[in-house]
Amino acid sequence: MNWTDLLCADRIRSYVGAASSTDLRSEFEKDYHRIIGSASFRRLQDKTQVFPLDKSDFIRTRLTHSLEVSSIARSLGQNISQYIIRNSKEPGFDLQMQADVCSIVQCAGLIHDIGNPPFGHFGETTIRDWFKVNLPRLTFVGTPLSEYLAPQMVQDFYHFEGNAQALRLVTKLHFLVDENGMNLTYALLNTIIKYPVSSLEINRKSGNIKDKKLGYFYADRDIFEKIQNATHVKGCRHPLCYILEAADDIAYLTADIEDGYRKGYISYRTLLEELRSEDVLRRMLPDDQNIYMDMVNRLERKYESGIKRNVSDPESYAVSNWIVNVQGFLIACATYGFTKNYRAIMNGTFTADLFQGSHGAALHERLGDIAYRYVFVSRPIYKLEIAAATILDSLLEKFVTAAIYYDTEHELTDVQDKMMTLISENYKAVYRRYSEGKSSQEKLYLRLMLVTDNICGMTDSYAKRLYQELNGID
């Protein structure tokens, strides 16, 4: 792979007419403004990051998380670009390419979660589980949907992914000018494809991080191929995808700890004790142990500093300030991970994340483990997730049963007809365009995709309100 191809500024739909001589922005800077001004991006302010249906104005939403990822990704892009230039890794890599890299990863951070359904990652899990239970139960002209649809179509729903939905949204569903969505650059589109495999190619045992989940739906295979061909990645991850993933990890790992502390799930003392666990230290090499413990001891030093400064809550002061230190440390580790593995990344043979083999690997793993045990498996989160599942299960049941015979010769019931009127006209226009001339099998698949498109376009509060209205709950 080479940077000239990787930083492809072409779009699915080319511009008509000459570019304005007064617009001096790069194509990637134009992407940024398209994203920021979009309704899809704004809706992230009412979508869950970790705590479904939470009423606190401190806890992060998908919007604030995406802004943090964008900022961290830009910092990583700056660091790595400087490394490439200073070490003459690529003779043609210049300051303009550095600016382009920073703009691309900044934009990728903004949209990496734009396709996620309501209620966080639990929303994705609920959608997958619903289809696994119900595709074999529901029928079309007497045949179970799981048998009527082609294998890849079925697996798309069984392995439903917000990442793949993000690609679908920005290339089709966000109807601005036409059916090409936001019409973003190919370089940006490929940066958000974390898993360049179909639902039939998922292989969590392969040892290659790119095979963990599906990266695109059957419905979007043509767009996926265009992106791959334009950037010449040949089935590999785009190098900037590693930067995006590292930025996402840094943002959510530190945010989950801070939000968990603010919600009272993790105390300062518990955090300190967990970080100093003998089991963790025992598994480290001496050099890694020293660096790790220096980061842990900073938490205690922040607490002592808070006492000296007479702050009202030295524990909160310590946690918040320590989180900033951790982010800086992990940014340095991810930079090292990219530069150390530069050739393997550019050759498409690097199979891990940027933290593997770095001094930050142990802290990265430990923070994730603490957040999981103290936040994600807590009783309050379970209750919120059960409520979220009840909402999504009900909406999926009502919309899918209406969509099965929509746009066919079979007559819908009055309620089913009304349900279909609740789906966005833009989404239905996309369905009509891409279903034209297709087989009945593919049309059915696209009607089910129409439902998931509609669900994923909902905010948390809208999904909750619609569920209440449809079920007669005041």
Side-chain angles (χ1 to χ4, degrees):
M1 291 182 279
N2 68 78
W3 287 107
T4 301
D5 293 332
L6 291 169
L7 302 181
C8 178
D10 294 341
R11 304 173 188 273
I12 297 172
R13 172 175 46 78
S14 300
Y15 288 126
V16 178
S20 168
S21 60
T22 60
D23 190 347
L24 303 180
R25 297 173 299 168
S26 73
E27 291 303 312
F28 308 115
E29 288 169 332
K30 292 174 185 176
D31 281 345
Y32 180 85
H33 292 282
R34 290 179 183 214
I35 295 164
I36 288 291
S38 71
S40 301
F41 179 69
R42 288 194 298 277
R43 277 196 289 269
L44 293 175
Q45 68 187 308
D46 190 18
K47 285 195 174 186
T48 294
Q49 175 61 17
V50 175
F51 301 93
L53 305 171
D54 191 86
K55 297 178 181 178
S56 169
D57 59 0
F58 175 86
I59 302 304
R60 287 167 173 84
T61 64
R62 283 285 168 196
L63 179 63
T64 51
H65 168 70
S66 297
L67 291 170
E68 289 174 344
V69 173
S70 177
S71 175
I72 294 170
R74 187 174 181 88
S75 295
L76 283 170
Q78 184 82 9
N79 290 353
I80 290 164
S81 296
Q82 279 295 303
Y83 166 85
I84 295 171
I85 292 172
R86 289 174 182 173
N87 292 276
S88 302
K89 286 292 182 181
E90 304 287 353
F93 196 99
D94 55 16
L95 291 176
Q96 182 56 56
M97 283 190 169
Q98 174 180 303
D100 290 344
V101 164
C102 290
S103 293
I104 292 168
V105 294
Q106 180 182 30
C107 289
L110 295 178
I111 61 173
H112 78 286
D113 277 347
I114 204 166
N116 279 39
F119 314 125
H121 288 298
F122 186 73
E124 292 173 286
T125 301
T126 301
I127 290 172
R128 292 178 206 131
D129 289 347
W130 190 91
F131 279 108
K132 287 175 184 176
V133 170
N134 291 287
L135 280 189
R137 173 181 68 86
L138 297 170
T139 62
F140 180 71
V141 292
T143 304
L145 301 190
S146 57
E147 297 176 19
Y148 191 87
L149 299 173
Q152 186 176 345
M153 297 174 182
V154 173
Q155 293 304 314
D156 279 359
F157 295 109
Y158 288 178
H159 295 92
F160 186 86
E161 263 297 317
N163 288 305
Q165 186 67 22
L167 177 66
R168 181 168 172 77
L169 189 150
V170 298
T171 57
K172 288 182 179 176
L173 304 179
H174 179 83
F175 198 95
L176 185 63
V177 176
D178 55 25
E179 67 282 353
N180 293 300
M182 293 185 188
N183 197 36
L184 302 173
T185 55
Y186 283 123
L188 173 55
L189 293 175
N190 211 355
T191 300
I192 66 170
I193 301 175
K194 293 173 68 175
Y195 312 102
V197 297
S198 74
S199 57
L200 295 180
E201 299 167 312
I202 298 169
N203 184 1
R204 294 186 176 89
K205 297 180 181 178
S206 72
N208 194 328
I209 197 168
K210 77 177 183 67
D211 301 330
K212 280 176 59 178
K213 302 175 182 178
L214 75 90
Y216 65 95
F217 296 121
Y218 174 82
D220 308 313
R221 62 198 183 281
D222 292 343
I223 288 174
F224 173 77
E225 288 299 327
K226 286 181 181 179
I227 295 167
Q228 292 269 296
N229 292 335
T231 52
H232 298 273
V233 294
K234 300 176 182 177
C236 301
R237 266 188 166 188
H238 193 293
L240 297 186
C241 184
Y242 290 96
I243 296 178
L244 173 63
E245 183 174 53
D248 191 19
D249 284 359
I250 294 169
Y252 81 71
L253 284 170
T254 53
D256 290 351
I257 296 296
E258 186 174 20
D259 288 354
Y261 173 81
R262 296 288 181 183
K263 293 288 291 182
Y265 298 153
I266 309 172
S267 69
Y268 164 77
R269 291 295 171 192
T270 298
L271 177 59
L272 197 58
E273 289 170 7
E274 285 283 355
L275 290 168
R276 286 177 171 166
S277 167
E278 289 294 331
D279 290 340
V280 176
L281 296 173
R282 212 175 288 125
R283 296 197 300 268
M284 295 184 205
L285 296 173
D287 284 350
D288 289 339
Q289 189 179 103
N290 291 335
I291 293 171
Y292 175 88
M293 283 309 301
D294 176 63
M295 285 303 303
V296 174
N297 290 336
R298 289 187 193 187
L299 175 58
E300 194 165 37
R301 291 199 294 271
K302 292 292 182 184
Y303 173 75
E304 292 167 355
S305 174
I307 292 176
K308 289 178 181 178
R309 292 170 178 266
N310 292 317
V311 299
S312 59
D313 187 347
E315 292 186 351
S316 179
Y317 172 88
V319 172
S320 294
N321 281 274
W322 182 72
I323 287 295
V324 175
N325 282 182
V326 171
Q327 288 180 344
F329 172 67
L330 292 178
I331 286 172
C333 292
T335 300
Y336 169 79
F338 193 100
T339 56
K340 176 189 175 185
N341 299 289
Y342 181 76
R343 278 301 154 207
I345 289 171
M346 294 301 290
N347 291 334
T349 57
F350 187 60
T351 61
D353 63 55
L354 298 185
F355 296 102
Q356 187 175 89
S358 78
H359 291 309
L363 184 60
H364 178 283
E365 180 182 350
R366 192 58 176 164
L367 291 176
D369 178 62
I370 293 170
Y372 175 78
R373 288 186 292 110
Y374 285 89
V375 179
F376 290 92
V377 295
S378 63
R379 288 175 64 87
I381 287 291
Y382 282 162
K383 290 178 181 179
L384 291 172
E385 288 180 341
I386 291 169
T390 301
I391 292 170
L392 289 180
D393 284 348
S394 175
L395 294 178
L396 283 165
E397 179 70 26
K398 286 179 167 59
F399 279 114
V400 168
T401 52
I404 289 174
Y405 286 109
Y406 172 71
D407 190 36
T408 69
E409 296 176 352
H410 297 261
E411 188 175 351
L412 301 184
T413 68
D414 191 46
V415 171
Q416 290 172 343
D417 189 57
K418 288 179 170 62
M419 285 301 301
M420 294 307 297
T421 66
L422 298 179
I423 294 180
S424 163
E425 287 301 322
N426 283 346
Y427 293 167
K428 285 191 281 194
V430 170
Y431 161 76
R432 287 191 292 271
R433 172 179 171 78
Y434 288 99
S435 65
E436 187 176 353
K438 296 295 194 301
S439 66
S440 60
Q441 180 193 61
E442 189 160 351
K443 284 184 176 181
L444 173 59
Y445 165 75
L446 291 174
R447 289 196 295 277
L448 298 179
M449 289 296 298
L450 174 60
V451 172
T452 53
D453 290 342
N454 189 53
I455 295 288
C456 289
M458 296 179 184
T459 63
D460 289 15
S461 59
Y462 178 81
K464 176 185 175 184
R465 186 170 64 251
L466 183 61
Y467 163 79
Q468 291 172 326
E469 290 171 347
L470 296 181
N471 288 278
I473 301 171
D474 186 359

